């Protein structure tokens, strides 16, 4: 494959100045990102042509989409920054808002955060917080407010401090799924509606909500379609390209994004018909389960696929947990639609819930559906709920005879060699299993 002469993440210094960005530092970061992206993504063999759009999105990550967001703000639209898939995007869209994911996936801003936050908390929280206080994220500088939630202790205490830097609204997420927990969640959703209505100067109606539901259903269906195509062998697309698309889903325009994902899927379906893939049919098929991987965290996928494997599924908030559940589109009144919305979001099997047996069942289902040959359970350091829940997932995998590897890491490159060695040994276990079969 012929590589591009030089991939560039474009600079927008005049725009950054308006946003009070640390221009010199962001300029260095965008150049590093361009080099890393070219090395890990544009070097892939037989890459689908439809990935060109997503390459373009990355090239415009610090400017093109920001211009769209600022233009929308001038039109009076509310821009909301979020950190969790529990925040109901349908409501934001229904009130003509824009939803932007702000989770941090880079180690570069963690030292900034550690000047204020403890070192022994989740790197995703520290990275995101660091992006704000260091003024190196145009998205953080563009949103009208951020909506946090109470899925973990590190987050809910960080929101108190983040509120000193940007208006921070917090939604209470119930930690169990009993009937009174659902009633609590419905009340939280209604309070969030009031917040959005006060800022947008619009009133939520059934018609508006249905429009938001339809946009999100179409988006999730496109992602489901993409994920289903990964079950074929040879895989028509790499795991890291799919991870990239899942990451872009959180800040791209949802209608345009859906269109481009479906166009890519059309191409992939033709590949499947021809038996064409990005990897050898003998490539080991790996499912990743666990904590989300925020842009630009491609660490695990790069290791797996550089060793000749292919990632065929992400059971995480960046992956299937985000798009596996749809909403009905036929309601006679707003209250019943809101109750259905609550039911849809209560199906999210985040590890913050107790008990969370449905997640164990979902992991096994996705393993079978993806035709994977082993599970790598990925947990960020100090993510206690996912760390502990790995025990139940491992027990279920052992019972089903599924090869299982637990990886706990952060965003640092220091442990890449160690992780690579462990994955190589894991791969050999799977190959031995193949030989025995």
């Amino acid at each position: 494959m012929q590589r591009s002469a030089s991939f560039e993440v474009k600079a927008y210094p005049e725009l950054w100045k308006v946003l009070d960005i640390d221009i010199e530092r962001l300029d260095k970061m965008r150049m590093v990102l361009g080099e890393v992206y070219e090395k890990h993504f544009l070097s892939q063999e037989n890459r689908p042509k439809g990935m060109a759009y997503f390459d373009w999105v990355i090239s415009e990550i610090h400017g093109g989409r920001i211009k769209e967001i600022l233009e929308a703000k001038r039109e009076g639209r509310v821009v909301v920054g979020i950190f969790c898939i529990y925040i109901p995007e349908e409501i934001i869209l229904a009130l003509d808002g824009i939803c932007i994911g702000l989770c941090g996936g880079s180690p570069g801003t963690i030292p900034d955060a550690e000047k204020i936050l403890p070192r022994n908390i989740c790197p995703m929280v520290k990275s995101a917080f660091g992006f704000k206080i260091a003024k190196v994220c145009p998205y953080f500088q563009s949103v009208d407010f951020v909506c946090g939630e109470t899925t973990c202790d590190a987050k809910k205490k960080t929101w108190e401090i983040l509120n000193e830097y940007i208006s921070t609204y917090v939604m209470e997420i119930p930690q169990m799924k009993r009937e009174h927990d659902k009633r609590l969640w419905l009340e939280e959703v209604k309070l969030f509606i009031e917040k959005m209505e006060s800022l947008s100067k619009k009133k939520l109606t059934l018609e508006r909500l249905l429009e938001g539901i339809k946009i999100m259903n179409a988006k999730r269906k496109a992602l489901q379609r993409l994920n289903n195509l990964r079950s074929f062998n040879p895989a028509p697309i790499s795991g890291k390209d799919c991870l990239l698309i899942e990451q872009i889903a959180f800040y791209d325009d949802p209608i345009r994004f859906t269109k481009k994902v479906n166009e890519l899927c059309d191409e992939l379906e033709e590949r499947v018909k021809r038996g064409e893939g990005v990897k050898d049919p003998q490539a080991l098929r790996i499912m990743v389960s666990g904590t989300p991987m925020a842009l630009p965290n491609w660490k695990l996928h790069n290791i797996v696929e550089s060793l000749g494997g292919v990632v065929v599924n992400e059971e995480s908030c960046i992956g299937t947990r985000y798009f596996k559940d749809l909403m009905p589109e036929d309601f006679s009144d707003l209250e019943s639609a809101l109750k259905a919305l609550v039911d849809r979001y209560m199906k999210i099997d985040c590890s913050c819930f107790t008990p969370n047996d449905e997640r164990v069942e979902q992991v096994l289902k996705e393993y079978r559906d993806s035709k994977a040959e082993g599970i790598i359970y990925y947990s960020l350091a100090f993510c206690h709920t996912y760390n502990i829940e790995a025990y139940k997932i491992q027990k279920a995998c052992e019972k089903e005879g599924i090869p299982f590897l637990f990886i706990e890491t952060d965003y640092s490159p220091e442990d890449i060699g160690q992780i690579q060695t462990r994955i190589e040994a894991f791969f050999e276990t799977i190959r031995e299993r193949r030989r025995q079969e």
Side-chain angles (χ1 to χ4, degrees), residues 300-316:
L300 182 61
H301 284 55
N302 281 333
I303 296 172
V304 169
E305 299 197 336
S306 70
L307 293 174
V310 58
V311 179
V312 294
N313 190 74
E314 292 84 22
E315 184 274 333
S316 75

Side-chain angles (χ1 to χ4, degrees), residues 8 19 23 35 46 71 81 107 109 159 161 163 175 183 188 203 210-211 233 310 315 336 352 371-372 375 392 409 431:
E8 181 185 16
L19 293 173
I23 297 174
E35 292 171 2
N46 199 26
E71 178 59 32
T109 56
W159 305 149
I161 305 173
N163 192 50
Q175 309 286 276
R183 290 194 293 271
E188 283 293 315
K203 185 74 175 175
L210 286 176
E211 184 60 30
N233 190 30
V310 58
E315 184 274 333
S336 61
C352 70
K371 299 181 177 63
I375 291 178
K392 295 182 73 173
T409 186
R431 291 190 185 98

Side-chain angles (χ1 to χ4, degrees), residues 186-229:
L186 177 59
E187 289 304 311
E188 283 293 315
V189 169
K190 289 181 177 180
L191 289 171
F192 181 64
I193 291 170
E194 291 179 11
K195 171 73 173 178
M196 285 298 301
E197 286 179 334
S198 68
L199 291 174
S200 67
K201 305 296 189 290
K202 294 179 173 64
K203 185 74 175 175
L204 183 68
T205 63
L206 177 60
E207 292 71 23
R208 285 183 180 274
L209 182 56
L210 286 176
E211 184 60 30
I213 288 171
K214 289 175 182 177
I215 291 172
M216 287 306 301
N217 275 352
K219 180 181 179 181
R220 291 183 176 123
K221 284 178 183 177
L223 287 166
Q224 288 176 0
R225 183 184 175 197
L226 173 64
N227 203 55
N228 290 339
L229 285 163

Side-chain angles (χ1 to χ4, degrees), residues 1-25:
M1 174 182 176
Q2 185 178 0
R3 293 177 61 178
S4 76
S6 120
F7 178 82
E8 181 185 16
V9 176
K10 295 180 182 177
Y12 286 82
E14 293 303 316
L15 178 64
W16 298 344
K17 184 177 181 180
V18 171
L19 293 173
D20 193 26
I21 292 282
D22 184 333
I23 297 174
E24 182 178 355
R25 186 169 173 188

Side-chain angles (χ1 to χ4, degrees), residues 99 325 337 385:
C99 186
D325 300 310
T385 55

